[in-house]
Amino acid sequence: MSEQTQQQTQQAQDTRRGVVIVGAGMAGVQTAVALREQGWAGPVTLLGAEPHQPYDRPPLSKAVLLGKAEDSAFDVDFEELGIELRLGVEVTGLRAADQEVDTGAGPVPYEVLVLATGALPLTLPGAEGVPGVHLLRTLDDAARLRPVLAAGAAVVVVGAGWIGAEFATAAREAGCAVTVVEAADRVLAGALPAEVAEPMGRWYAQAGAELLTGARVASVEPGRVLLADGRALPAGAVVVGIGARPATGWLAGSGVELGPDGAVVADERLRTSVPGVYAVGDCASFPSGRYGSRLLVHHWDNALQGPRVVAADILAGGSGEQVYDPVPYFWSEQFGRFVQYAGHHGSADAMVWRGDPADDTWSVCWLREGRLAAVLAVGRPRDLAQGRRLIESGALLNPAKVADPGTALKSTST
């Protein structure tokens, strides 16, 4: 074998021995960084579908959208860390038997593969291609919406979930007339109980935004939105925020198990059904021993925490001891309020208010068999921080003490 052939063979083997990460969002970037921090010395390749330097998404609905920042690129020196960053590379398929992913630029071999493709926003049926209809998921989306807000256009937001509220907040701050259309009978219908969502729905009118619940969009035309009840809403722009679905369509036929929600079915160490393939972030669900159910968490903190477990398991050769069972956490800034949530209230058997929801600050605690399962805090960050620790510890609480907003949550244990 010639020296050149030997070098080519060695290069191919070095590439195949590496870790390939599909997706250059928070989960993908943090996985690459965690591998280096934990001592992985082999090749790491990060594939990103977008042409931009990897960036953080939360500022898109705030600083970037309002022109207060040009971008939100991660402060990571990929070259210094020895991470090969390949941008503008769309991954189209996985051939597990060959340990290769297919891309528009050709196949990429791997030894270990990490799926970190995130989630894609749901589109409004019939609105695709209509001028003036926007999503807010990418840096390009925010760039397209920035001049709309700067012009003070009348905006219709479809969906009164977290992203809808955050965009409506930014649009009102920019001076736009805002109408929010929600098909359900309340805001955050898929996320919170009615009695908790009800006071949050009042924030829209207080901020000068019109909220229409129980309202379905019949069609979208240039310059207006037609509702099923016949009303026509003027719209210089329409922003759709009706949820997201794991970006896993490219895995069809790969052997990677997907759940009915489209998420990759990962185990307690975020391994998939295919050996040597992991999944992390918005595209993956995982079993929670803490809550006794499988969780699909579409929030920033999940994309930050999961990669550390993935990296540890990769370094342990796929037989690590670290289990991923976090207390889910997220925050939202809307209508001048800082909203935080930790835990999972789905299996709770009691709900306790801390404070009056008509006030500027209040919290709600969900208990399960006397232990804190989840906490929602509006302008009460100490409740959130202390509640998160109580969830982790599993301490028994005194509900009467929990209900007293003047008592520190950390002092409510029995």
Side-chain angles (χ1 to χ4, degrees), residues 18 25 28 112 143 186 208 211 218 289 338 348 363 395 405:
V112 177
R186 64 182 188 273
L211 173 64
F338 187 46
S363 297

Side-chain angles (χ1 to χ4, degrees), residues 347-374:
S347 60
D349 52 39
M351 188 176 74
V352 181
W353 289 88
R354 285 173 59 79
D356 187 340
D359 294 338
D360 290 337
T361 64
W362 47 275
S363 297
V364 177
C365 293
W366 286 270
L367 306 179
R368 183 183 62 195
E369 297 178 352
R371 294 174 171 83
L372 192 62

